Amino acid sequence: MLHLSNLTMQYQGRDGGTVQVLNIPEFSLAAGEQVALIGESGQGKTTLLHLIAGILTPTSGKIELAGVILNNLSEAARDRFRAEKIGYIFQSFHLLPGFTAQENLELGIMFAGRGGGPARAKGLLQQVGLAERLHFYPRELSAGQQQRVGIARALANQPVLVLADEPTSALDAGNRETALQLMIDLCREQNAALLVVTHDRAVAARFPRVVELKDINQL
Amino acid sequence: MRTVRVIYKNLRQRALATALTSFSIALGVGLVIAITCLRQQAEDTFNNVAASYELVVGAKGSPLQLVLNTVYHLDVPTGNIPYGYYQQLKQDWRVHYAIPFALGDNYHGFRLVGTEPEYFTRLELRGGGKAQLAGGRLFSQDYEAVIGAAVTDLALNQQFLAKHGVQDTQASEEHEQHKFTVVGILKPTGTPLDRVIFISLGSVDEIHQPDPNQPIGGADLMDALANVPEQTAGAPVPLTPTHPEPRPESQNTQTKKSESHPARQEETPDHGHKQISEVTAVILKLKTPPFMFQMHREINKGPVAQAAFPALEARNLFARIVAPINMVLLTVSALVGIVAGISILVSIYNTLNERRREIAVMRALGARRRTIFSWLLWEAAAISAVGGIAGIGLGHLTLLGLQKMAYGISGITLAPWQLIRTDIPLTQLAFLNKVPGEILIVAVAVALGALMGLLPAVMAYRTNVSANLTT
């Protein structure tokens, strides 16, 4: 379902030289598979997620997702593809502060161009235990509740792949467990593949497949 | 979720900045609307009032001053002309009617105008109507007064003393021996007439006769010298220094008939009071329009008086004096609008830094660059639209606030809720003249707002998603 081959990513350094961040000859993820990618800070975990999401374009190589080679697409087409096929969970939730919990989900559905936004948003928020908080603004929610909204938002557009960037690192132990379980359960329920990047081995241990970034990233 | 709701939520999130920016737009639009309405309505009223008068005749001097004084009851008189001159005009075969107009006193700043009852029975106001009484009757003898609707300081049957001069100053002396009694009140006309106190011509003349028991000297002497009539009171004065133009036989016959007509004779000279020596002006209505130009030429050639076309002077007043002032005010208003427009730019630009993260998140959720770009533009346009619509209200409320003051000063009734007449001279854009000016002004404000939103929109468009998600 997701296949990376000969993927490299270089940045222009401040001194004018190039800094290579990623060099992944091969990496694959099956449909509905749940994988934890573990690595230390600064190893390029987030960059890899941005490449898979089509937010960044690789220096070279190929990213194939759901039968589409992402780096062959224009930026607008990548945006559309991302809206329709990918869900994104952020480390610090990144809920839009001017919109209620339900509206945060509806926006994702809107970008995907799908109908039935309010009903699906309500349904998902009920699933994450926030039926009573539909019209709450992010500032009115606890950190754990915010991340539950973030998880529901990532699934609102019915994605084939959910990318989660350190999704529990801003949560306390109780909320971490709840969020993690919800993420795993919901992705399984919706048959969405889940790729979680984390530096926390305890979090990684919850996943059936754990990949060390340093094993696939040959710098 | 609809785009409109997203824009509303984005603006609501920054409610204070949005409200302040919209308010500054409202101020600019409100100013433009208030100034334009004021100018249009003042011009319309001036033109309508001027249309009631074909020709006014008064002492030599500025024709604009003569018209302002006689028609709009503003400014000071150019001087006086002999009563005999008025009589001669009245008896001219080309004249349909001639109404005398004498000035010299005021009551609390309201001018006392000496005239004949013809002023009310013959002079047609805008819309073809005539001045009508709301109560009481017209004056029938000296020291009786008929007051305009805006002279609220007086009531029916009330007595009052007039002060010397057309303006109320502390130095003005009261004519203590001559008390006037209000015998009639006019209905509002929405014209400068509403601020006038009408009295008989004889009252004006008599009130200014020197007291025979008092020796003349000092200021009184200067006043007396300044007002020495050019000819003996009541004696005819030639219109021009040359001989009058020969008339056809039939016209001479008509004149003779007119002169010998009993009603005409009753209208002439003295009304049962002392011989009148001077009048300030004469309002003329000619039998046919060509006579207007003929008499205008003749009178102006003569040594005694000048004639002026009120309609022409009103146009000149607006073209030469009011229009440039109006242009300056409009320019200032436009600058306020531009500054307000720039404030949109500043307001959105300032919030961009804090919004970059939000924009990056939206992009990560699948929002396209052009979606974000258009939202920023719509936000800027929406701020302008809200400000523009508020500005329409503000502009017209300003007129409502000015209504009483304008009526008190000039007698002109402003219509605060009257829409602006669009008057674009370009034929290619003539179709816009069917649209109220307010709509066009708001459209320009919205376009300006959107233009100002362009820079922040471009910056939002270029937001580095990856960098802003990780910072």
Side-chain angles (χ1 to χ4, degrees), chain B residues 304-331:
Chain B
V304 182
Q306 65 162 331
F309 295 118
L312 181 70
E313 295 305 324
R315 264 201 304 276
N316 285 344
L317 172 72
F318 273 86
R320 290 182 197 161
I321 301 168
V322 179
I325 295 170
N326 180 61
M327 189 51 69
V328 169
L329 290 174
L330 275 180
T331 307

Side-chain angles (χ1 to χ4, degrees), chain B residues 163-240:
Chain B
K163 268 189 173 180
H164 190 66
V166 292
Q167 282 163 344
D168 189 16
T169 59
Q170 285 192 329
S172 308
E173 288 175 12
E174 280 187 335
H175 297 291
E176 286 173 2
Q177 309 92 321
H178 305 288
K179 260 190 181 168
F180 285 91
T181 305
V182 178
V183 295
I185 300 173
L186 293 174
K187 285 182 179 172
T189 63
T191 70
L193 216 77
D194 291 356
R195 286 186 45 80
V196 174
I197 297 172
F198 292 97
I199 56 174
S200 70
L201 203 57
S203 310
V204 179
D205 202 66
E206 193 174 300
I207 206 169
H208 292 104
Q209 295 298 324
D211 186 343
N213 301 322
Q214 288 225 325
I216 295 178
D220 289 339
L221 179 60
M222 295 304 288
D223 205 28
L225 285 172
N227 288 308
V228 168
E230 293 184 16
Q231 299 243 341
T232 312
V237 179
L239 287 184
T240 63

Side-chain angles (χ1 to χ4, degrees), chain A residues 27-104:
Chain A
F27 177 72
S28 293
L29 195 69
E33 190 180 12
Q34 298 191 342
V35 176
L37 187 65
I38 198 160
E40 297 305 314
S41 294
Q43 282 192 329
K45 301 189 298 290
T46 301
T47 302
L48 178 60
L49 289 192
H50 286 180
L51 286 168
I52 295 169
I55 292 169
L56 290 174
T57 46
T59 309
S60 64
K62 192 171 83 175
I63 303 168
E64 189 179 343
L65 177 59
V68 176
I69 299 169
L70 277 184
N71 36 330
N72 283 351
L73 298 178
S74 66
E75 186 182 41
R78 284 204 309 276
D79 290 339
R80 176 174 283 276
F81 184 85
R82 181 166 62 250
E84 290 173 358
K85 306 285 185 190
I86 296 173
Y88 211 112
I89 300 169
F90 303 94
Q91 178 180 351
S92 39
F93 328 132
H94 286 342
L95 297 183
L96 297 164
F99 297 83
T100 63
Q102 184 180 325
E103 288 166 345
N104 263 278

Side-chain angles (χ1 to χ4, degrees), chain B residues 166-422:
Chain B
V166 292
Q167 282 163 344
D168 189 16
T169 59
Q170 285 192 329
S172 308
E173 288 175 12
E174 280 187 335
H175 297 291
E176 286 173 2
Q177 309 92 321
H178 305 288
K179 260 190 181 168
F180 285 91
T181 305
V182 178
V183 295
I185 300 173
L186 293 174
K187 285 182 179 172
T189 63
T191 70
L193 216 77
D194 291 356
R195 286 186 45 80
V196 174
I197 297 172
F198 292 97
I199 56 174
S200 70
L201 203 57
S203 310
V204 179
D205 202 66
E206 193 174 300
I207 206 169
H208 292 104
Q209 295 298 324
D211 186 343
N213 301 322
Q214 288 225 325
I216 295 178
D220 289 339
L221 179 60
M222 295 304 288
D223 205 28
L225 285 172
N227 288 308
V228 168
E230 293 184 16
Q231 299 243 341
T232 312
V237 179
L239 287 184
T240 63
T242 55
H243 294 290
E245 289 173 29
R247 296 174 186 165
E249 190 56 34
S250 61
Q251 288 174 355
N252 279 327
T253 315
Q254 195 180 347
T255 314
K256 280 174 191 166
K257 270 184 194 169
S258 167
E259 281 168 355
S260 62
H261 196 278
R264 194 80 171 173
Q265 294 230 331
E266 276 172 22
E267 284 168 20
T268 47
D270 64 336
H271 279 274
H273 46 66
K274 295 181 193 76
Q275 191 84 309
I276 296 164
S277 57
E278 288 181 318
V279 293
T280 309
V282 181
I283 297 158
L284 283 187
K285 169 93 174 170
L286 285 309
K287 284 178 180 159
T288 62
F291 291 158
M292 274 197 313
F293 302 101
Q294 198 180 17
M295 287 209 72
H296 179 265
R297 198 169 50 244
E298 282 177 28
I299 292 166
N300 284 333
K301 268 188 190 171
V304 182
Q306 65 162 331
F309 295 118
L312 181 70
E313 295 305 324
R315 264 201 304 276
N316 285 344
L317 172 72
F318 273 86
R320 290 182 197 161
I321 301 168
V322 179
I325 295 170
N326 180 61
M327 189 51 69
V328 169
L329 290 174
L330 275 180
T331 307
V332 171
S333 312
L335 285 175
V336 170
I338 289 169
V339 169
I342 292 170
S343 74
I344 292 182
L345 190 156
V346 173
S347 164
I348 298 179
Y349 182 86
N350 281 344
T351 59
L352 255 192
N353 273 341
E354 64 186 73
R355 293 181 71 178
R356 279 186 203 282
R357 172 74 56 84
E358 289 172 38
I359 290 166
V361 171
M362 286 189 188
R363 293 287 319 281
L365 295 176
R368 263 141 273 178
R369 278 186 194 273
R370 65 165 188 231
T371 305
I372 302 292
F373 178 84
S374 66
W375 282 359
L376 266 286
L377 282 192
W378 279 117
E379 278 181 31
I383 291 171
S384 297
V386 169
I389 290 163
I392 294 177
L394 196 67
H396 285 286
L397 280 173
T398 306
L399 285 184
L400 186 68
L402 290 174
Q403 192 182 33
K404 202 174 172 185
M405 194 179 78
Y407 187 64
I409 292 171
S410 65
I412 291 173
T413 307
L414 292 175
W417 307 114
Q418 188 177 307
L419 297 176
I420 293 173
R421 187 180 59 247
T422 307

Side-chain angles (χ1 to χ4, degrees), chain A residues 5-45:
Chain A
S5 58
N6 300 320
L7 186 72
T8 66
M9 185 65 187
Q10 292 176 344
Y11 286 118
Q12 186 98 38
R14 283 185 185 172
D15 57 357
T18 54
V19 179
Q20 181 141 14
V21 184
L22 292 172
N23 179 18
I24 301 173
E26 197 75 28
F27 177 72
S28 293
L29 195 69
E33 190 180 12
Q34 298 191 342
V35 176
L37 187 65
I38 198 160
E40 297 305 314
S41 294
Q43 282 192 329
K45 301 189 298 290

